[in-house]
Amino acid sequence: MSSAPLSFGLLTIFMVLLSYSSFSHGLLQPRRISHGLSEGSKYLTRDELWFNQTLDHYSPSDHRQFRQRYYEYLDHLRVPDGPIFLMICGEGPCNGIPNDYISVLAKKFEAGVVSLEHRYYGKSSPFNSLATENLKYLSSKQALNDLAAFRQYYQDSLNIKFNRSSSVENPWFFFGASYSGALSAWFRLKFPHLTCGSLASSAVVRAVYEFPEFDQQIGESAGPECKDALQETNKLVELRLKVNNKAVKALFNATELNVDADFLYLIADAQVMAIQYGNPDKLCVPLVEANKNGGDLVEAYAKYVRDFCMGVFGLSSKSYSRKHLLDTAVSSESSDRLWWFQVCTEVAYFQVAPANSSIRSHQINTKYHLDLCKSLFGKGVYPEVDATNLYYGSDRIAGTKIIFTNGSQDPWRHASKQTSSPDLPSYIVTCHNCGHGSDLRGCPQSLMVIEGDSKNCSSPDAVNKVRQHIVEHIDLWLSECRGGIRSSM
């Protein structure tokens, strides 16, 4: 969950990576990184389908609907009674069903795969304007009801297609990563009769008002030498901003960021990107070398940002621009504003600088986040973190048959559920480059490669061991679900 699961921007990137959203996923950020997937990316399908979704699931008198985009891939489905795997899209455009590890699972279990775009994101916008008053229906609660309504619609369509009774149901299993991982867990919690189980990968189920653990994990994952270099780099950047503001921002291709704190948030997110997505050496090797040899740390870091974050991952300073975030027009770049709204109303995940040993600027504090929320959406918007955790249970979620997985290097794992129990098994994928969603995407992650091969993880056995646990749980829970279906027919 960077706002998604890098910081908020990085969450977005993950969602694009996962295509459940946009890549940040996300898990979670209020900072998202917008980018389109390359045409060379591999999908099971990119053929768009549509259905009419209810706008407000909580109003008995409001019958308005909007068109919601979804995808289906049935090549592996055992007709007519094979399982249906629903991949939940998160906080970004859903551009298709990616050919990642879920496709391996679908083939193994002879399952069909469907994926629903999150309301407001991508092409599933209910309104032509994203003014604050039109965002009142953008919430995790409404999104969960969207999933329930879609599941019923799609099951009915399968029964018609296979000429079966409307009382017959396929066994369903839900998947998600980052913010959509939280949705996967929350769906099983709130609608246990509609899914046999859920995989909640890097699932940010604990809304967090102040989240210094995020920055602390980045420092720990980077290692002592790299952490020292990052701390020194951050000090130098802040000093140079005071001396020659425009020149420093130009070095990072970020001259449009007039607010220094917004620029410093970009700087912080850029270091998160390498750690969160399993590319620590891209960041740490040149910085540690520069630090040892008396090189210019700011120059070395700026080169990493330009070449890797912007050149490979598509990080853009525009995502941090107030002008951009205030834009209420619906476009392919609207996800930044939309995710900030969810951050500013429900989950916060304010990635504040820790009091001691911080590797991000202390200007990135709670006041910074609250002021940004107010400037984007008005005075009445505030993150109801306690209410969110009360409703879903936070990391003490009381559901059953939910698999939680997290990467050992991922800062978002501190907003997930890391304790395990028989009904709620939790696994940590431990390796040098195991980040956000490593069980589904492998490592390191790249916008250019969608498939979830584990061979490039520093410890493939660690990933494969967790994947084997996932297979075992899905197998057991689907068999139990089929037994229940048979006995109820």
Side-chain angles (χ1 to χ4, degrees), residues 51 53-58 68 116 119 139-152 183 187 190-191 194 391-392:
F51 98 112
Q53 182 63 270
T54 298
L55 176 63
D56 185 3
H57 295 283
Y58 294 93
Q68 194 165 20
L116 180 69
R119 60 170 49 209
S139 70
S140 61
K141 292 180 182 179
Q142 295 281 7
L144 291 176
N145 280 277
D146 286 349
L147 290 166
F150 171 75
R151 184 226 184 267
Q152 189 58 54
L183 291 176
F187 188 86
K190 297 298 182 180
F191 298 94
L194 295 182
Y391 186 73
Y392 294 121

Side-chain angles (χ1 to χ4, degrees), residues 442-455:
C443 33
Q445 294 172 21
S446 166
L447 284 174
M448 307 303 291
V449 181
I450 295 295
E451 63 269 18
D453 199 322
S454 63
K455 67 181 180 182

Side-chain angles (χ1 to χ4, degrees), residues 34-346:
S34 302
H35 24 281
L37 289 167
S38 74
E39 290 304 312
S41 297
K42 297 180 181 179
Y43 290 83
L44 297 178
T45 180
R46 297 190 73 171
D47 295 336
E48 299 175 348
L49 299 169
W50 300 87
F51 98 112
N52 292 324
Q53 182 63 270
T54 298
L55 176 63
D56 185 3
H57 295 283
Y58 294 93
S59 172
S61 57
D62 187 346
H63 302 298
R64 287 178 293 174
Q65 295 182 320
F66 67 97
R67 278 165 49 84
Q68 194 165 20
R69 182 167 59 163
Y70 74 96
Y71 303 87
E72 68 175 2
Y73 183 79
L74 303 180
D75 286 23
H76 298 316
L77 177 63
R78 183 182 66 250
V79 176
D81 62 344
I84 303 299
F85 289 173
L86 193 153
M87 297 169 57
I88 304 173
C89 287
E91 74 288 15
C94 191
N95 297 313
I97 299 178
N99 185 21
D100 61 9
Y101 183 63
I102 292 180
S103 67
V104 176
L105 293 173
K107 188 173 184 179
K108 179 178 182 63
F109 288 100
E110 298 178 293
V113 185
V114 293
S115 190
L116 180 69
E117 187 167 62
H118 196 295
R119 60 170 49 209
Y120 283 83
Y121 292 95
K123 296 184 179 180
S124 298
S125 181
F127 299 100
N128 294 323
S129 166
L130 300 179
T132 302
E133 59 268 23
N134 287 341
L135 300 180
K136 62 186 293 187
Y137 307 106
L138 174 56
S139 70
S140 61
K141 292 180 182 179
Q142 295 281 7
L144 291 176
N145 280 277
D146 286 349
L147 290 166
F150 171 75
R151 184 226 184 267
Q152 189 58 54
Y153 160 83
Y154 193 79
Q155 182 63 69
D156 289 344
S157 71
L158 285 180
N159 289 345
I160 293 172
K161 179 183 295 187
F162 300 142
N163 194 27
R164 297 188 301 176
S165 164
S166 60
S167 63
V168 177
E169 292 211 334
N170 296 72
W172 287 67
F173 205 97
F174 279 52
F175 296 80
S178 200
Y179 165 58
S180 66
L183 291 176
S184 181
W186 293 339
F187 188 86
R188 171 66 191 175
L189 173 71
K190 297 298 182 180
F191 298 94
H193 59 296
L194 295 182
T195 177
C196 303
S198 289
L199 173 65
S201 173
S202 299
V204 285
V205 292
R206 181 171 73 94
V208 188
Y209 184 59
E210 294 177 319
F211 198 13
E213 298 92 340
F214 187 93
D215 191 81
Q216 291 165 347
Q217 182 63 57
I218 293 298
E220 180 181 325
S221 297
E225 285 189 313
C226 187
K227 180 180 178 181
D228 289 345
L230 287 169
Q231 288 177 311
E232 183 64 23
T233 302
N234 184 66
K235 292 177 185 176
L236 291 171
V237 167
E238 291 197 82
L239 284 173
R240 294 189 190 183
L241 276 176
K242 296 176 182 178
V243 177
N244 197 335
N245 193 287
K246 291 184 178 179
V248 174
K249 291 176 181 176
L251 196 60
F252 289 85
N253 292 340
T255 53
E256 65 186 298
L257 300 181
N258 298 320
V259 179
D260 286 354
D262 293 343
F263 171 71
L264 292 169
Y265 207 134
L266 164 66
I267 296 302
D269 263 6
Q271 66 193 17
V272 174
M273 182 175 286
I275 305 298
Q276 180 169 317
Y277 298 115
N279 295 278
D281 294 344
K282 296 287 187 182
L283 167 68
C284 291
V285 170
L287 273 188
V288 170
E289 182 179 348
N291 204 26
K292 284 182 176 179
N293 299 330
D296 189 324
L297 280 170
V298 176
E299 289 280 357
Y301 189 65
K303 186 177 189 305
Y304 152 77
V305 173
R306 295 192 309 268
D307 294 353
F308 181 73
C309 297
M310 295 179 173
V312 175
F313 271 77
L315 175 67
S316 170
S317 61
K318 183 178 182 179
S319 295
Y320 301 78
S321 162
R322 305 273 173 125
K323 180 181 178 181
H324 166 64
L325 294 172
L326 282 164
D327 187 356
T328 59
V330 176
S331 73
S332 60
E333 298 179 323
S334 297
S335 298
D336 300 306
R337 175 174 173 81
L338 293 170
W339 178 244
W340 264 112
F341 181 78
Q342 291 195 256
V343 165
C344 292
T345 54
E346 285 191 281

